[in-house]
Amino acid sequence: MTDRFEIAVIGGGAVGTSIQWHLAQAGRTDSVLIEKHELTAGSTWHAAGNVPTFSNSWLGQRAGNYAWRVYSELAKDPSDPITYRHTQAFWPGHTESRIDHFHHLVAIATGLGFDLEIVSPAEMEAMHPYWSDDGTVIAGLLDPYEGDIDPSGLTQSLARRSRAMGAEVRRHSRVVAIDRLDGTDARWRVHVERNGENYAIECDIVINAAGFYGAEISAMAGMEVPLAVLEHQYLVTGAVPELVANTDVFPLVRDPEIMFYLRRENDRLLFGNYGHEGRTVWEDVKPDVFDASLFAPDDEGIADIAELAMAHVPLLGEVGIAEFVNGPITYTPDMNPMIGPAPGVDGFYQAVGVQIGITHAAAVGKVLTEMITGGDTEWDVWPWDPRRFGDWALAGSGRGSYANTRAREMFEHQYGAPFPHRMWTSARPVQKTALYDTLAAKGARMGQIAGWERAFWFGAQEYSHDTLSYRDEHWHDAVAEECRAVRDHVGIMDHGGFTRYEISGPGAAGFLDRMVCTRLPALGRVRLSYLLRPNGTVWSEATIGRFSEDHFLWLGPTAARERDLDWLQRHLPADGSVEVKFGTERTSTLMVMGPNSRELLSRLTDADLSKAAAPWMSLREIEIAGVIATALRVSFVGELGWELHVDDADLVKLYQALHAEGADLGLRDFGSYALNAMRVEKGYHGWGSEFGVEYTPFDAGLDRFLDLDKPDFIGCESVQAMAKRPIDWSYGVWTVDTSTMPAPEGNPQPSAPIRVAGEAVGFVTSASMGFRTGERICLGYVEGRHAHTIDGFTIDGFGAHLRAVRHEHGVYDPDHERPRG
């Protein structure tokens, strides 16, 4: 027997049922949800049911706030109400760094129009009859939206609502295989076993919402995903006499230093903690059946944290434990879920790794439905995109795999402050250039970007979680020296991991012309180019160089490799006239930047590097120190310089030759922190910060890259209409004005509100100390109505309103004379 549906959703927990319900609400009711046991039998079954709305990101706070709004409305529905209780929550803060963290969270919320706030210990005591300050609490964060929900009731209600709209739910139906179909009316055939009989479901779209079996479902479809499963435990006390007598609702307490959460569960207390080592399970093979099941309790692991918590909630020490709940929870290597299209595959969507499953289930349903029904999401969901992980995230196996090792570290920092320069140290290195050992021996302090090891700074003390801060950190002096060396002399950076494709064939020029909103470069030239979504917002950025009429070089953001390749391949013409491939040659890159860069390179090559022969934004092949290089005359730091792309085997030879010739020219290594500081001084946009799918080219100040005379490109009609309307946002550059106030000890954080006359009208996207200018600089956006406002700006910084000056351009070399020299 074969059944036919448009969409098959695999997995009957909160995530799967939310996806099906959202799709049905959007009119896509031709769907079947396949669950191998009962609904909620996976992680949903044992979930604590907390619905927090705080987060360290715009996406996370939006997801949390969307959840409580959706669940509140469902709870009001008299025909099928769910059990949702609005309680609020507060976080006690015991350290100055944690208070900085709270100010950061309030800043994110302010930009989104949400109402997180800082409260005093006395205010927290007034809200909670059983919590008290022991003298260690400085202040707290109040989340006025948090609540808790019955996960099973939510899941069953969503399934009933989907059925009522025409969708189908099949329980006790195990997926045993998945086939890709070619040349038929359907893309997929899902093989199902039910009650000892087998049948197939053919469909156009498969959505993998299988929870801790998500990796196995992916493997059936021929894909690997970096998922780890860990234990997470909480306990529920016996009946508490005080709660039997007092039925008032009081806030959940979530203490990030002691690492516990505590809330009322009817007349009992529910207590959970993250204060133990991360414990991955099923590191090699999962059991075939783990439905509605739990692991053995860890009495000691939770007892130590409970004892610390009793200093604030003495009542916890007066009650007995009724049950331990220790169940599986799925993590990705960065703790964000994987939501969206699987790379290189039509009609297969991931909805796995949803660690905060009950809260994020609502948002997962929203964004996947937007992807399937319209293609363009309201929010920028790149942090959840499955394509952020490449093959590097699949390294290793068993307990020592990248996913398992990193997930254990992430679990242990679940409540850690998201310091802006925190670097995860486990499971490294997985990708490194040929210079890795050479740079490490010279004092390079390595960080990881999309799996690649890259020098972040040189010298100073080594990285440690213990020295992190929201304020200026110990590496500032070292980075300042690197920036000044690039400004005054010459610097060199090993920029491993550039996204590099070669695009060729008789249809290459026409294909690229449609993919980007920018004019294509002439032969031997380079052009910064932008890709748009159909709705006219910015998808990505690429530096495109032209070797010949039908042969192009594409250089993009390191982290966007799989995402942008997938985008290009999905738009390739069917006639085979265009070939897109990962760069197979010259995949190592050295940046040589600074006023002495021409002199240094000229000592090692016979090529003419004069301004006339090698103008700004040009490329050509040269031989330097006996190495063939593709030399691009570009600069992301705002200085005279070149990017040299060479074969991996030649990287060390070229690097050593440059250092041998550059000593008297002041040559110095520099790293990613210096690179970022210099690009902020220039006011240059960064992908994922200053532009992304929530901004139009007009908002982002990128309209100079638009060629509206081109007859056709993706997003063309949308941006032509936008050109006639006022902008929603205005991109800008600000410096912190210290003429009448002490200089702040740190940078305002991304999402910090930008205000005019006290009113929040925008937000910071990037900030850095400008080590060449001595200015503390912020990039960001204000509402379009303030596009031409000059005066009256302040920027929130650690609870203070910092006076700020707006600039028309970047503050370093605003006329761009240095890189063009």
Side-chain angles (χ1 to χ4, degrees):
M1 181 180 77
T2 300
D3 294 336
R4 179 72 167 87
F5 292 88
E6 180 194 9
I7 301 168
V9 181
I10 301 174
V15 172
T17 53
S18 173
I19 293 167
Q20 187 180 44
W21 176 66
H22 277 85
L23 285 165
Q25 283 194 308
R28 306 295 276 271
T29 57
D30 185 16
S31 71
V32 58
L33 185 147
I34 310 167
E35 165 55 45
K36 66 185 181 67
H37 191 62
E38 292 287 351
L39 300 181
T40 79
S43 293
T44 300
W45 173 76
H46 63 80
N50 303 328
V51 186
T53 67
F54 81 95
S55 176
N56 302 315
S57 69
W58 271 48
L59 179 55
Q61 286 207 19
R62 283 167 158 169
N65 275 271
Y66 180 74
W68 85 265
R69 291 198 306 273
V70 169
Y71 300 160
S72 295
E73 290 303 313
L74 292 176
K76 295 175 186 176
D77 184 352
S79 65
D80 189 8
I82 64 169
T83 303
Y84 174 69
R85 181 177 57 175
H86 179 218
T87 64
Q88 305 188 93
F90 62 72
W91 295 56
H94 301 258
T95 67
E96 294 295 343
S97 289
R98 184 63 67 177
I99 305 307
D100 284 346
H101 176 206
F102 291 166
H103 281 297
H104 176 48
L105 293 174
V106 170
I108 296 172
T110 300
L112 293 168
F114 305 145
D115 296 318
L116 300 186
E117 62 177 296
I118 307 295
V119 293
S120 68
E123 289 174 303
M124 290 185 283
E125 287 181 335
M127 285 184 259
H128 199 300
Y130 309 111
W131 181 90
S132 61
D133 174 23
D134 65 350
T136 66
V137 177
I138 301 170
L141 177 76
L142 175 64
D143 179 349
Y145 309 109
E146 178 149 346
D148 56 76
I149 199 167
D150 170 22
S152 177
L154 169 66
T155 304
Q156 297 289 352
S157 176
L158 293 172
R160 283 193 296 271
R161 293 166 189 271
S162 296
R163 287 192 191 102
M165 288 184 278
E168 188 169 332
V169 175
R170 295 185 181 179
R171 299 173 298 123
H172 301 285
S173 301
R174 180 186 299 273
V175 174
V176 294
I178 301 174
D179 299 328
R180 297 188 200 185
L181 302 179
D182 296 317
T184 70
D185 292 335
R187 291 195 185 104
W188 299 94
R189 181 179 293 120
V190 180
H191 298 270
V192 181
E193 184 274 325
R194 184 178 187 180
N195 297 329
E197 297 182 358
N198 295 297
Y199 69 96
I201 292 173
E202 291 189 353
C203 58
D204 301 316
I205 294 171
V206 173
I207 300 175
N208 176 14
F212 51 77
Y213 285 100
E216 284 70 22
I217 295 299
S218 295
M220 291 180 192
M223 291 166 269
E224 289 187 81
V225 289
L227 292 174
V229 183
L230 294 94
E231 296 181 18
H232 174 57
Q233 177 173 256
Y234 62 88
L235 64 82
V236 182
T237 71
V240 181
E242 288 86 345
L243 299 184
V244 174
N246 179 3
T247 59
D248 292 343
V249 173
F250 48 83
L252 176 145
V253 179
R254 186 177 281 107
D255 192 308
E257 261 64 65
I258 303 178
M259 292 190 285
F260 76 87
Y261 58 85
L262 176 76
R263 69 166 173 84
R264 177 177 199 143
E265 177 73 2
N266 298 319
D267 60 358
R268 303 184 293 172
L269 292 173
L270 187 151
F271 177 86
N273 87 102
Y274 288 91
H276 59 79
E277 78 283 355
R279 296 191 289 263
T280 47
V281 296
W282 307 328
E283 294 159 334
D284 294 305
V285 180
K286 289 188 181 70
D288 288 337
V289 178
F290 199 80
D291 301 317
S293 300
L294 295 173
F295 303 118
D298 173 28
D299 304 16
E300 294 183 4
I302 205 166
D304 294 341
I305 303 300
E307 185 174 351
L308 295 174
M310 290 173 197
H312 296 280
V313 188
L315 183 64
L316 188 60
E318 301 171 10
V319 296
I321 299 172
E323 61 179 317
F324 285 96
V325 179
N326 187 17
I329 186 170
T330 309
Y331 274 60
T332 66
D334 62 5
M335 286 201 297
N336 282 326
M338 287 192 286
I339 311 299
V345 181
D346 286 337
F348 193 100
Y349 290 82
Q350 301 285 11
V352 293
V354 191
Q355 172 231 334
I356 312 174
I358 306 304
T359 300
H360 283 169
V364 170
K366 168 185 164 64
V367 299
L368 270 181
T369 296
E370 290 169 347
M371 290 176 186
I372 291 169
T373 60
D376 291 327
T377 54
E378 177 187 3
W379 306 332
D380 187 344
V381 291
W382 162 245
W384 292 1
D385 195 314
R387 294 166 293 190
R388 70 188 185 274
F389 294 119
D391 291 345
W392 53 270
L394 304 172
S397 61
R399 179 174 177 79
S401 72
Y402 182 88
N404 277 317
T405 305
R406 178 59 57 85
R408 291 194 293 271
E409 182 183 18
M410 301 298 281
F411 181 95
E412 292 162 12
H413 290 84
Q414 182 87 22
Y415 282 168
F419 292 113
H421 299 103
R422 185 184 289 280
M423 295 188 287
W424 303 113
T425 58
S426 61
R428 291 174 49 196
V430 290
Q431 291 190 120
K432 56 186 180 179
T433 75
L435 278 172
Y436 177 84
D437 293 332
T438 300
L439 298 180
K442 296 176 71 172
R445 307 309 176 190
M446 296 289 186
Q448 189 182 51
I449 297 176
W452 282 96
E453 295 293 317
R454 194 173 291 167
F456 277 24
W457 79 91
F458 287 80
Q461 65 192 77
E462 294 187 15
Y463 172 83
S464 168
H465 287 321
D466 297 332
T467 62
L468 294 170
S469 171
Y470 280 97
R471 310 301 175 105
D472 294 343
E473 297 181 80
H474 61 79
W475 46 262
H476 261 228
D477 289 343
V479 172
E481 292 179 8
E482 294 171 24
C483 292
R484 288 192 286 265
V486 174
R487 178 193 66 188
D488 300 333
H489 306 293
V490 59
I492 186 170
M493 179 183 181
D494 175 26
H495 197 283
F498 250 128
T499 289
R500 176 191 171 105
Y501 317 128
E502 293 190 29
I503 301 173
S504 59
F511 167 68
L512 280 178
D513 204 35
R514 184 173 182 274
M515 295 304 299
V516 301
C517 65
T518 315
R519 292 188 307 277
L520 294 183
L523 297 183
R525 305 291 288 182
V526 174
R527 178 158 282 149
L528 190 60
S529 305
Y530 291 89
L531 296 82
L532 307 181
R533 297 198 298 179
N535 69 357
T537 57
V538 182
W539 172 259
S540 195
E541 175 187 70
T543 299
I544 298 178
R546 193 167 197 164
F547 293 122
S548 65
E549 288 293 340
D550 58 3
H551 186 193
F552 297 84
L553 173 67
W554 175 295
L555 298 170
T558 301
R561 173 175 158 164
E562 277 73 20
R563 175 183 184 261
D564 285 355
L565 179 62
D566 190 52
W567 181 268
L568 292 173
Q569 289 178 329
R570 289 176 190 270
H571 290 92
L572 281 175
D575 60 7
S577 62
V578 181
E579 180 183 15
V580 178
K581 64 178 181 179
F582 284 128
T584 55
E585 298 178 338
R586 301 177 197 165
T587 54
S588 291
T589 305
L590 291 178
M591 293 183 175
V592 182
M593 301 289 159
N596 291 344
S597 59
R598 179 177 283 124
E599 170 62 21
L600 172 58
L601 295 176
S602 294
R603 292 179 179 184
L604 295 165
T605 182
D606 294 330
D608 184 354
L609 301 183
S610 66
K611 181 177 180 179
W616 173 244
M617 301 299 284
S618 64
L619 87 162
R620 58 178 170 158
E621 184 178 283
I622 65 172
E623 182 176 338
I624 178 168
V627 171
I628 303 298
T630 302
L632 279 68
R633 179 87 150 72
V634 296
S635 174
F636 199 44
V637 303
E639 302 286 356
L640 173 69
W642 278 260
E643 282 180 11
L644 304 176
H645 297 260
V646 301
D647 288 343
D648 295 348
D650 293 327
L651 180 63
V652 173
K653 176 182 178 181
L654 179 57
Y655 174 85
Q656 291 175 339
L658 289 165
H659 266 285
E661 285 292 337
D664 65 316
L665 297 175
L667 179 62
R668 182 184 180 114
D669 293 287
F670 69 96
S672 289
Y673 285 171
L675 179 73
N676 184 64
M678 289 185 281
R679 74 99 184 165
V680 170
E681 280 182 308
K682 289 294 297 176
Y684 289 161
H685 298 70
W687 174 70
S689 52
E690 281 68 54
F691 67 90
V693 300
E694 294 193 39
Y695 306 110
T696 74
F698 302 98
D699 296 335
L702 298 173
D703 46 304
R704 66 187 184 278
F705 294 98
L706 280 171
D707 182 3
L708 294 178
D709 293 329
K710 287 172 56 171
D712 182 36
F713 58 86
I714 296 173
C716 180
E717 291 185 5
S718 296
V719 293
Q720 286 174 342
M722 290 171 186
K724 302 171 185 177
R725 302 195 302 259
I727 57 175
D728 293 324
W729 295 100
S730 173
Y731 172 71
V733 181
W734 287 262
T735 54
V736 176
D737 181 2
T738 59
S739 61
T740 60
M741 54 176 274
E745 297 177 355
N747 302 314
Q749 292 302 299
S751 300
I754 300 173
R755 301 178 186 268
V756 172
E759 178 190 4
V761 299
F763 48 89
V764 172
T765 53
S766 294
S768 177
M769 187 67 202
F771 296 106
R772 294 176 295 187
T773 60
E775 300 274 9
R776 207 173 283 276
I777 304 159
C778 298
L779 310 182
Y781 286 88
V782 291
E783 295 170 5
R785 61 191 172 97
H786 286 290
H788 303 292
T789 301
I790 300 299
D791 300 319
F793 286 105
T794 61
I795 296 176
D796 289 16
F798 311 110
H801 289 184
L802 308 174
R803 289 184 57 186
V805 177
R806 187 173 188 180
H807 301 264
E808 186 176 355
H809 304 288
V811 298
Y812 182 74
D813 184 29
D815 295 327
H816 304 292
E817 295 177 354
R818 294 175 70 91
R820 290 186 169 91

